[in-house]
Amino acid sequence: MKLGYQTNTWGGVVGHPAGVTSVKDLYYLAYGSTEQAVRDISKAGYAGIELFDGNLMQYEDRPQIFENLLTEHNQKLVGVYTGANFIYRDILEDEFHKIEKVAKLASAFQAEHLVVGGGAVRASGILDSDYKALAESLNRVAELAAKYNLRPSYHPHLGTIVEKPEQLDRIMELTSIGLCPDTAHIEAGGGDPLATIKKYVNRIPYVHFKDYGSGSFLPLGEGNQNFRAMAAVLRDNHYSGWITVELDSYEDPLNGAVISRNYLREQLNLNEYQTIPTGRGE
């Protein structure tokens, strides 16, 4: 197993304001410094990073700067996180226009994973047909990811039509896309992250570890999550991919990353599974 960290802690989970009036520009965007995030993540002892789509697209016209940043800090671009409503036919092509731009750039930077969230909740409530529409869109995401040699996975998320356990089961039955379990979002939605990993372990190409307690997202070891058991299930099923730690916001991002890294090293003995890349592309 290899350990990565999401850069969104440096700036928080926000979005690009252009998306209010232009669906094709509706990116996730953390407002902090990606450069500082990469430096801190490397210092904390992780081998790779995951970026929001909007933060990745900031390097579209200056790719060498991003390449140099990764090389200088010995980091791998593990993946990029994107998303869409996916249920409204009239805007679907603009949503996929954005996702394809993101996938193309991520592939150019040798990323491995394309992670998507979404499935909008209508003002009038969820329609039964929304699950079919989401499933069709996720299958299309999987095809697009394959075009760019990326591994696609769906990330269940609070505030979408896939936040509860029964909702996740339903969408997993309707689509063949992989699952990226965000352990905290699963628990916050009323699910059991350990049971979810056990149930779908053969469909998991990528994992997000995030702790949860008292209604808040927390560094690993400070909440309710049984990461020891989750890691054991993954190991027993020969999982050798990335585990990316995520913490949407924290007063001291570097310290939050260090807390989680120390927990993984000391409590789960994951250090022996981590492979620090010795150069770009490994």
Side-chain angles (χ1 to χ4, degrees), residues 37-59:
V38 173
R39 286 193 292 268
D40 287 350
I41 289 167
S42 177
K43 184 177 180 180
Y46 295 87
I49 63 166
E50 178 186 300
L51 285 173
F52 277 162
D53 52 4
N55 295 97
L56 179 69
M57 294 305 296
Q58 290 178 325
Y59 295 97

Side-chain angles (χ1 to χ4, degrees), residues 169-226:
D169 289 340
R170 184 170 187 186
I171 201 65
M172 293 300 284
E173 290 176 358
L174 292 172
T175 181
S176 60
I177 198 170
L179 172 67
C180 174
D182 181 303
T183 59
H185 275 280
I186 290 171
E187 181 179 347
D192 179 341
L194 175 59
T196 300
I197 289 174
K198 286 180 178 178
K199 184 172 186 176
Y200 293 111
V201 68
N202 292 324
R203 290 182 64 177
I204 295 175
Y206 187 42
V207 178
H208 278 185
F209 271 4
K210 185 192 301 177
D211 218 339
Y212 182 78
S214 301
S216 299
F217 297 140
L218 301 166
L220 304 191
E222 295 190 356
N224 307 321
Q225 303 265 309
N226 188 350

Side-chain angles (χ1 to χ4, degrees), residues 34-204:
T34 298
E35 290 79 8
Q36 185 64 51
V38 173
R39 286 193 292 268
D40 287 350
I41 289 167
S42 177
K43 184 177 180 180
Y46 295 87
I49 63 166
E50 178 186 300
L51 285 173
F52 277 162
D53 52 4
N55 295 97
L56 179 69
M57 294 305 296
Q58 290 178 325
Y59 295 97
E60 183 180 21
D61 297 324
R62 48 192 188 121
Q64 194 59 53
I65 291 177
F66 188 61
E67 290 278 2
N68 292 344
L69 180 67
L70 295 176
T71 300
E72 179 183 356
H73 299 286
N74 206 25
Q75 292 292 296
K76 162 78 173 175
L77 177 60
V78 180
V80 59
Y81 185 95
T82 187
N85 293 275
F86 287 132
I87 65 169
Y88 304 118
R89 301 294 182 188
D90 286 350
I91 65 171
L92 194 60
E93 293 310 311
D94 276 5
E95 290 182 324
F96 271 95
H97 172 83
K98 176 199 73 173
I99 293 170
E100 181 151 13
K101 285 183 66 177
V102 170
K104 183 178 181 180
L105 187 58
S107 180
F109 288 131
Q110 302 177 44
E112 295 181 22
H113 296 280
L114 180 68
V115 187
V116 294
V121 177
R122 299 173 186 269
S124 57
I126 300 171
L127 300 179
D128 189 67
S129 59
D130 290 341
Y131 288 97
K132 182 175 183 292
L134 174 59
E136 291 173 352
S137 291
L138 293 179
N139 287 338
R140 183 173 170 182
V141 167
E143 293 175 0
L144 189 154
K147 176 180 175 181
Y148 293 101
N149 298 311
L150 299 170
R151 300 188 70 184
S153 56
Y154 179 69
H155 180 296
H157 204 286
L158 295 177
T160 72
I161 64 173
V162 185
E163 63 175 17
K164 299 177 181 178
E166 61 271 20
Q167 294 171 331
L168 176 59
D169 289 340
R170 184 170 187 186
I171 201 65
M172 293 300 284
E173 290 176 358
L174 292 172
T175 181
S176 60
I177 198 170
L179 172 67
C180 174
D182 181 303
T183 59
H185 275 280
I186 290 171
E187 181 179 347
D192 179 341
L194 175 59
T196 300
I197 289 174
K198 286 180 178 178
K199 184 172 186 176
Y200 293 111
V201 68
N202 292 324
R203 290 182 64 177
I204 295 175

